[in-house]
PDB file of all heavy atoms in Angstrom:
ATOM      1  N   GLY A 154       9.079  -6.765 -14.093  1.00 95.00           N
ATOM      2  CA  GLY A 154       7.786  -6.132 -13.620  1.00 95.00           C
ATOM      3  C   GLY A 154       7.340  -6.828 -12.349  1.00 95.00           C
ATOM      4  O   GLY A 154       6.181  -6.361 -11.937  1.00 95.00           O
ATOM      5  N   GLY A 155       7.946  -7.756 -11.791  1.00 97.00           N
ATOM      6  CA  GLY A 155       7.498  -8.418 -10.665  1.00 97.00           C
ATOM      7  C   GLY A 155       7.911  -7.787  -9.282  1.00 97.00           C
ATOM      8  O   GLY A 155       7.624  -8.418  -8.225  1.00 97.00           O
ATOM      9  N   VAL A 156       8.517  -6.637  -9.349  1.00 98.00           N
ATOM     10  CA  VAL A 156       8.743  -5.892  -8.148  1.00 98.00           C
ATOM     11  C   VAL A 156       8.052  -4.530  -8.175  1.00 98.00           C
ATOM     12  O   VAL A 156       8.295  -3.743  -9.010  1.00 98.00           O
ATOM     13  CB  VAL A 156      10.295  -5.673  -7.911  1.00 98.00           C
ATOM     14  CG1 VAL A 156      10.755  -4.917  -6.726  1.00 98.00           C
ATOM     15  CG2 VAL A 156      11.033  -6.995  -8.003  1.00 98.00           C
ATOM     16  N   LEU A 157       7.104  -4.319  -7.240  1.00 98.00           N
ATOM     17  CA  LEU A 157       6.357  -3.208  -7.184  1.00 98.00           C
ATOM     18  C   LEU A 157       6.865  -2.146  -6.151  1.00 98.00           C
ATOM     19  O   LEU A 157       7.382  -2.590  -5.057  1.00 98.00           O
ATOM     20  CB  LEU A 157       4.861  -3.502  -6.838  1.00 98.00           C
ATOM     21  CG  LEU A 157       4.000  -3.975  -8.039  1.00 98.00           C
ATOM     22  CD1 LEU A 157       4.616  -5.141  -8.735  1.00 98.00           C
ATOM     23  CD2 LEU A 157       2.612  -4.240  -7.497  1.00 98.00           C
ATOM     24  N   PRO A 158       6.803  -0.840  -6.419  1.00 98.00           N
ATOM     25  CA  PRO A 158       7.171   0.151  -5.429  1.00 98.00           C
ATOM     26  C   PRO A 158       6.502  -0.155  -4.087  1.00 98.00           C
ATOM     27  O   PRO A 158       5.193  -0.437  -4.119  1.00 98.00           O
ATOM     28  CB  PRO A 158       6.729   1.458  -6.078  1.00 98.00           C
ATOM     29  CG  PRO A 158       6.707   1.212  -7.478  1.00 98.00           C
ATOM     30  CD  PRO A 158       6.242  -0.230  -7.666  1.00 98.00           C
ATOM     31  N   GLY A 159       7.141  -0.104  -2.998  1.00 98.00           N
ATOM     32  CA  GLY A 159       6.577  -0.192  -1.692  1.00 98.00           C
ATOM     33  C   GLY A 159       6.397  -1.677  -1.217  1.00 98.00           C
ATOM     34  O   GLY A 159       7.050  -2.155  -0.387  1.00 98.00           O
ATOM     35  N   PHE A 160       5.610  -2.500  -2.103  1.00 98.00           N
ATOM     36  CA  PHE A 160       5.530  -3.841  -1.766  1.00 98.00           C
ATOM     37  C   PHE A 160       6.932  -4.555  -1.863  1.00 98.00           C
ATOM     38  O   PHE A 160       7.236  -5.437  -1.131  1.00 98.00           O
ATOM     39  CB  PHE A 160       4.613  -4.534  -2.848  1.00 98.00           C
ATOM     40  CG  PHE A 160       3.180  -4.087  -2.627  1.00 98.00           C
ATOM     41  CD1 PHE A 160       2.604  -3.285  -3.579  1.00 98.00           C
ATOM     42  CD2 PHE A 160       2.352  -4.603  -1.583  1.00 98.00           C
ATOM     43  CE1 PHE A 160       1.298  -2.858  -3.434  1.00 98.00           C
ATOM     44  CE2 PHE A 160       1.016  -4.178  -1.474  1.00 98.00           C
ATOM     45  CZ  PHE A 160       0.474  -3.298  -2.420  1.00 98.00           C
ATOM     46  N   GLY A 161       7.693  -4.151  -2.891  1.00 98.00           N
ATOM     47  CA  GLY A 161       9.096  -4.649  -2.989  1.00 98.00           C
ATOM     48  C   GLY A 161       9.910  -4.331  -1.867  1.00 98.00           C
ATOM     49  O   GLY A 161      10.883  -5.054  -1.436  1.00 98.00           O
ATOM     50  N   ASP A 162       9.829  -3.179  -1.280  1.00 98.00           N
ATOM     51  CA  ASP A 162      10.526  -2.755  -0.160  1.00 98.00           C
ATOM     52  C   ASP A 162      10.349  -3.726   1.076  1.00 98.00           C
ATOM     53  O   ASP A 162      11.209  -4.109   1.768  1.00 98.00           O
ATOM     54  CB  ASP A 162      10.298  -1.350   0.262  1.00 98.00           C
ATOM     55  CG  ASP A 162      10.640  -0.296  -0.776  1.00 98.00           C
ATOM     56  OD1 ASP A 162       9.932  -0.154  -1.685  1.00 98.00           O
ATOM     57  OD2 ASP A 162      11.762   0.250  -0.583  1.00 98.00           O
ATOM     58  N   GLN A 163       9.037  -4.106   1.245  1.00 98.00           N
ATOM     59  CA  GLN A 163       8.670  -5.028   2.323  1.00 98.00           C
ATOM     60  C   GLN A 163       9.279  -6.440   1.983  1.00 98.00           C
ATOM     61  O   GLN A 163       9.801  -7.075   2.925  1.00 98.00           O
ATOM     62  CB  GLN A 163       7.210  -5.081   2.452  1.00 98.00           C
ATOM     63  CG  GLN A 163       6.509  -3.808   2.867  1.00 98.00           C
ATOM     64  CD  GLN A 163       5.049  -3.838   2.792  1.00 98.00           C
ATOM     65  OE1 GLN A 163       4.420  -4.648   2.058  1.00 98.00           O
ATOM     66  NE2 GLN A 163       4.379  -2.908   3.418  1.00 98.00           N
ATOM     67  N   ARG A 164       9.223  -6.795   0.739  1.00 98.00           N
ATOM     68  CA  ARG A 164       9.742  -8.183   0.408  1.00 98.00           C
ATOM     69  C   ARG A 164      11.251  -8.257   0.599  1.00 98.00           C
ATOM     70  O   ARG A 164      11.791  -9.229   1.030  1.00 98.00           O
ATOM     71  CB  ARG A 164       9.351  -8.434  -1.038  1.00 98.00           C
ATOM     72  CG  ARG A 164       9.794  -9.827  -1.533  1.00 98.00           C
ATOM     73  CD  ARG A 164       9.199 -10.925  -0.729  1.00 98.00           C
ATOM     74  NE  ARG A 164       9.643 -12.290  -1.108  1.00 98.00           N
ATOM     75  CZ  ARG A 164       9.601 -13.307  -0.364  1.00 98.00           C
ATOM     76  NH1 ARG A 164       9.140 -13.282   0.883  1.00 98.00           N
ATOM     77  NH2 ARG A 164      10.001 -14.518  -0.761  1.00 98.00           N
ATOM     78  N   GLU A 165      11.918  -7.126   0.417  1.00 98.00           N
ATOM     79  CA  GLU A 165      13.470  -7.056   0.688  1.00 98.00           C
ATOM     80  C   GLU A 165      13.744  -7.494   2.028  1.00 98.00           C
ATOM     81  O   GLU A 165      14.679  -8.227   2.268  1.00 98.00           O
ATOM     82  CB  GLU A 165      13.910  -5.680   0.375  1.00 98.00           C
ATOM     83  CG  GLU A 165      15.379  -5.378   0.787  1.00 98.00           C
ATOM     84  CD  GLU A 165      16.415  -6.117   0.094  1.00 98.00           C
ATOM     85  OE1 GLU A 165      16.146  -6.758  -1.062  1.00 98.00           O
ATOM     86  OE2 GLU A 165      17.513  -6.326   0.629  1.00 98.00           O
ATOM     87  N   LEU A 166      12.926  -7.063   2.994  1.00 98.00           N
ATOM     88  CA  LEU A 166      13.248  -7.349   4.489  1.00 98.00           C
ATOM     89  C   LEU A 166      13.110  -8.836   4.656  1.00 98.00           C
ATOM     90  O   LEU A 166      13.752  -9.469   5.381  1.00 98.00           O
ATOM     91  CB  LEU A 166      12.399  -6.578   5.366  1.00 98.00           C
ATOM     92  CG  LEU A 166      12.986  -5.197   5.803  1.00 98.00           C
ATOM     93  CD1 LEU A 166      12.669  -4.163   4.774  1.00 98.00           C
ATOM     94  CD2 LEU A 166      12.466  -4.740   7.150  1.00 98.00           C
ATOM     95  N   GLU A 167      11.942  -9.378   4.055  1.00 98.00           N
ATOM     96  CA  GLU A 167      11.797 -10.840   4.215  1.00 98.00           C
ATOM     97  C   GLU A 167      12.906 -11.632   3.599  1.00 98.00           C
ATOM     98  O   GLU A 167      13.258 -12.678   4.249  1.00 98.00           O
ATOM     99  CB  GLU A 167      10.354 -11.152   3.580  1.00 98.00           C
ATOM    100  CG  GLU A 167       9.171 -10.464   4.205  1.00 98.00           C
ATOM    101  CD  GLU A 167       7.949 -10.627   3.450  1.00 98.00           C
ATOM    102  OE1 GLU A 167       8.011 -10.958   2.213  1.00 98.00           O
ATOM    103  OE2 GLU A 167       6.882 -10.320   3.988  1.00 98.00           O
ATOM    104  N   LEU A 168      13.346 -11.217   2.465  1.00 98.00           N
ATOM    105  CA  LEU A 168      14.499 -11.933   1.881  1.00 98.00           C
ATOM    106  C   LEU A 168      15.789 -11.865   2.629  1.00 98.00           C
ATOM    107  O   LEU A 168      16.698 -12.675   2.638  1.00 98.00           O
ATOM    108  CB  LEU A 168      14.626 -11.487   0.387  1.00 98.00           C
ATOM    109  CG  LEU A 168      13.547 -11.924  -0.527  1.00 98.00           C
ATOM    110  CD1 LEU A 168      13.693 -11.312  -1.907  1.00 98.00           C
ATOM    111  CD2 LEU A 168      13.381 -13.400  -0.605  1.00 98.00           C
ATOM    112  N   LEU A 169      16.060 -10.700   3.266  1.00 98.00           N
ATOM    113  CA  LEU A 169      17.184 -10.536   4.117  1.00 98.00           C
ATOM    114  C   LEU A 169      17.164 -11.530   5.271  1.00 98.00           C
ATOM    115  O   LEU A 169      18.176 -12.087   5.697  1.00 98.00           O
ATOM    116  CB  LEU A 169      17.339  -9.083   4.659  1.00 98.00           C
ATOM    117  CG  LEU A 169      17.787  -8.002   3.702  1.00 98.00           C
ATOM    118  CD1 LEU A 169      17.610  -6.607   4.281  1.00 98.00           C
ATOM    119  CD2 LEU A 169      19.222  -8.270   3.223  1.00 98.00           C
ATOM    120  N   VAL A 170      15.926 -11.702   5.803  1.00 98.00           N
ATOM    121  CA  VAL A 170      15.826 -12.714   6.895  1.00 98.00           C
ATOM    122  C   VAL A 170      16.113 -14.125   6.366  1.00 98.00           C
ATOM    123  O   VAL A 170      16.674 -14.935   6.987  1.00 98.00           O
ATOM    124  CB  VAL A 170      14.477 -12.570   7.559  1.00 98.00           C
ATOM    125  CG1 VAL A 170      14.210 -13.776   8.592  1.00 98.00           C
ATOM    126  CG2 VAL A 170      14.385 -11.239   8.316  1.00 98.00           C
ATOM    127  N   GLU A 171      15.563 -14.397   5.140  1.00 98.00           N
ATOM    128  CA  GLU A 171      15.851 -15.701   4.521  1.00 98.00           C
ATOM    129  C   GLU A 171      17.385 -15.876   4.354  1.00 98.00           C
ATOM    130  O   GLU A 171      17.897 -16.917   4.460  1.00 98.00           O
ATOM    131  CB  GLU A 171      15.159 -15.794   3.202  1.00 98.00           C
ATOM    132  CG  GLU A 171      15.424 -17.096   2.516  1.00 98.00           C
ATOM    133  CD  GLU A 171      14.695 -17.224   1.105  1.00 98.00           C
ATOM    134  OE1 GLU A 171      13.722 -16.541   0.932  1.00 98.00           O
ATOM    135  OE2 GLU A 171      15.267 -17.932   0.229  1.00 98.00           O
ATOM    136  N   ALA A 172      18.079 -14.745   4.110  1.00 98.00           N
ATOM    137  CA  ALA A 172      19.488 -14.796   3.935  1.00 98.00           C
ATOM    138  C   ALA A 172      20.307 -15.126   5.175  1.00 98.00           C
ATOM    139  O   ALA A 172      21.477 -15.415   5.074  1.00 98.00           O
ATOM    140  CB  ALA A 172      20.024 -13.466   3.349  1.00 98.00           C
ATOM    141  N   GLY A 173      19.669 -14.976   6.338  1.00 98.00           N
ATOM    142  CA  GLY A 173      20.404 -15.242   7.635  1.00 98.00           C
ATOM    143  C   GLY A 173      20.420 -14.124   8.657  1.00 98.00           C
ATOM    144  O   GLY A 173      20.858 -14.251   9.728  1.00 98.00           O
ATOM    145  N   PHE A 174      19.876 -12.994   8.182  1.00 98.00           N
ATOM    146  CA  PHE A 174      19.879 -11.852   9.092  1.00 98.00           C
ATOM    147  C   PHE A 174      18.717 -12.093  10.074  1.00 98.00           C
ATOM    148  O   PHE A 174      17.656 -12.679   9.726  1.00 98.00           O
ATOM    149  CB  PHE A 174      19.673 -10.550   8.380  1.00 98.00           C
ATOM    150  CG  PHE A 174      20.746 -10.100   7.542  1.00 98.00           C
ATOM    151  CD1 PHE A 174      20.807 -10.516   6.157  1.00 98.00           C
ATOM    152  CD2 PHE A 174      21.732  -9.246   7.960  1.00 98.00           C
ATOM    153  CE1 PHE A 174      21.949 -10.118   5.393  1.00 98.00           C
ATOM    154  CE2 PHE A 174      22.837  -8.770   7.174  1.00 98.00           C
ATOM    155  CZ  PHE A 174      22.873  -9.212   5.967  1.00 98.00           C
ATOM    156  N   SER A 175      18.836 -11.660  11.331  1.00 98.00           N
ATOM    157  CA  SER A 175      17.675 -11.600  12.267  1.00 98.00           C
ATOM    158  C   SER A 175      16.691 -10.605  11.776  1.00 98.00           C
ATOM    159  O   SER A 175      17.054  -9.630  11.040  1.00 98.00           O
ATOM    160  CB  SER A 175      18.150 -11.368  13.656  1.00 98.00           C
ATOM    161  OG  SER A 175      18.467 -10.016  13.801  1.00 98.00           O
ATOM    162  N   PRO A 176      15.428 -10.697  12.168  1.00 98.00           N
ATOM    163  CA  PRO A 176      14.402  -9.670  11.790  1.00 98.00           C
ATOM    164  C   PRO A 176      14.949  -8.272  12.229  1.00 98.00           C
ATOM    165  O   PRO A 176      14.773  -7.302  11.438  1.00 98.00           O
ATOM    166  CB  PRO A 176      13.197 -10.117  12.520  1.00 98.00           C
ATOM    167  CG  PRO A 176      13.247 -11.607  12.580  1.00 98.00           C
ATOM    168  CD  PRO A 176      14.732 -11.832  12.799  1.00 98.00           C
ATOM    169  N   LEU A 177      15.456  -8.176  13.374  1.00 98.00           N
ATOM    170  CA  LEU A 177      15.874  -6.796  13.871  1.00 98.00           C
ATOM    171  C   LEU A 177      17.133  -6.375  13.033  1.00 98.00           C
ATOM    172  O   LEU A 177      17.210  -5.137  12.757  1.00 98.00           O
ATOM    173  CB  LEU A 177      16.296  -6.916  15.316  1.00 98.00           C
ATOM    174  CG  LEU A 177      15.156  -7.153  16.280  1.00 98.00           C
ATOM    175  CD1 LEU A 177      15.709  -7.439  17.786  1.00 98.00           C
ATOM    176  CD2 LEU A 177      14.231  -5.903  16.407  1.00 98.00           C
ATOM    177  N   GLU A 178      17.981  -7.208  12.636  1.00 98.00           N
ATOM    178  CA  GLU A 178      19.116  -6.804  11.781  1.00 98.00           C
ATOM    179  C   GLU A 178      18.597  -6.356  10.403  1.00 98.00           C
ATOM    180  O   GLU A 178      19.053  -5.354   9.815  1.00 98.00           O
ATOM    181  CB  GLU A 178      20.105  -7.966  11.598  1.00 98.00           C
ATOM    182  CG  GLU A 178      20.906  -8.315  12.806  1.00 98.00           C
ATOM    183  CD  GLU A 178      21.832  -9.613  12.610  1.00 98.00           C
ATOM    184  OE1 GLU A 178      21.312 -10.442  11.850  1.00 98.00           O
ATOM    185  OE2 GLU A 178      22.891  -9.549  13.179  1.00 98.00           O
ATOM    186  N   ALA A 179      17.606  -7.139   9.825  1.00 98.00           N
ATOM    187  CA  ALA A 179      17.033  -6.739   8.536  1.00 98.00           C
ATOM    188  C   ALA A 179      16.373  -5.324   8.597  1.00 98.00           C
ATOM    189  O   ALA A 179      16.461  -4.521   7.643  1.00 98.00           O
ATOM    190  CB  ALA A 179      16.007  -7.713   8.099  1.00 98.00           C
ATOM    191  N   ILE A 180      15.703  -5.060   9.711  1.00 98.00           N
ATOM    192  CA  ILE A 180      15.069  -3.845   9.903  1.00 98.00           C
ATOM    193  C   ILE A 180      16.049  -2.671   9.966  1.00 98.00           C
ATOM    194  O   ILE A 180      15.937  -1.626   9.329  1.00 98.00           O
ATOM    195  CB  ILE A 180      14.102  -3.774  11.086  1.00 98.00           C
ATOM    196  CG1 ILE A 180      12.867  -4.728  10.813  1.00 98.00           C
ATOM    197  CG2 ILE A 180      13.639  -2.419  11.453  1.00 98.00           C
ATOM    198  CD1 ILE A 180      12.047  -5.047  12.075  1.00 98.00           C
ATOM    199  N   ARG A 181      17.126  -2.969  10.645  1.00 98.00           N
ATOM    200  CA  ARG A 181      18.200  -1.938  10.788  1.00 98.00           C
ATOM    201  C   ARG A 181      18.807  -1.620   9.327  1.00 98.00           C
ATOM    202  O   ARG A 181      19.056  -0.518   9.087  1.00 98.00           O
ATOM    203  CB  ARG A 181      19.389  -2.453  11.701  1.00 98.00           C
ATOM    204  CG  ARG A 181      20.473  -1.441  11.748  1.00 98.00           C
ATOM    205  CD  ARG A 181      21.530  -1.739  12.728  1.00 98.00           C
ATOM    206  NE  ARG A 181      22.606  -0.716  12.641  1.00 98.00           N
ATOM    207  CZ  ARG A 181      23.468  -0.397  13.624  1.00 98.00           C
ATOM    208  NH1 ARG A 181      23.378  -1.095  14.806  1.00 98.00           N
ATOM    209  NH2 ARG A 181      24.365   0.479  13.507  1.00 98.00           N
ATOM    210  N   VAL A 182      18.998  -2.717   8.560  1.00 98.00           N
ATOM    211  CA  VAL A 182      19.574  -2.478   7.218  1.00 98.00           C
ATOM    212  C   VAL A 182      18.673  -1.581   6.411  1.00 98.00           C
ATOM    213  O   VAL A 182      19.133  -0.658   5.713  1.00 98.00           O
ATOM    214  CB  VAL A 182      19.684  -3.858   6.534  1.00 98.00           C
ATOM    215  CG1 VAL A 182      19.952  -3.655   4.987  1.00 98.00           C
ATOM    216  CG2 VAL A 182      20.790  -4.692   7.086  1.00 98.00           C
ATOM    217  N   ALA A 183      17.337  -1.687   6.544  1.00 98.00           N
ATOM    218  CA  ALA A 183      16.371  -1.016   5.743  1.00 98.00           C
ATOM    219  C   ALA A 183      16.018   0.377   6.341  1.00 98.00           C
ATOM    220  O   ALA A 183      15.243   1.100   5.763  1.00 98.00           O
ATOM    221  CB  ALA A 183      15.127  -1.857   5.517  1.00 98.00           C
ATOM    222  N   THR A 184      16.464   0.633   7.493  1.00 98.00           N
ATOM    223  CA  THR A 184      16.218   1.929   8.151  1.00 98.00           C
ATOM    224  C   THR A 184      17.473   2.727   8.562  1.00 98.00           C
ATOM    225  O   THR A 184      17.904   3.615   7.791  1.00 98.00           O
ATOM    226  CB  THR A 184      15.260   1.734   9.465  1.00 98.00           C
ATOM    227  OG1 THR A 184      15.955   0.838  10.318  1.00 98.00           O
ATOM    228  CG2 THR A 184      13.972   1.108   8.994  1.00 98.00           C
TER     229      THR A 184
END
């Protein structure tokens, strides 16, 4: 229950950056 619609989508990008993707790469993954 700790992942909310919408808010969780934003958090996914933050975690991709933590994984080593650049912010621009993370945005591309999500778009």
Side-chain angles (χ1 to χ4, degrees):
V156 181
L157 276 57
F160 292 106
D162 294 82
Q163 295 170 344
R164 183 59 181 159
E165 167 66 21
L166 274 84
E167 295 170 346
L168 292 173
L169 285 172
V170 172
E171 182 181 329
F174 292 88
S175 73
L177 290 170
E178 288 174 327
I180 290 169
R181 175 171 181 162
V182 168
T184 57

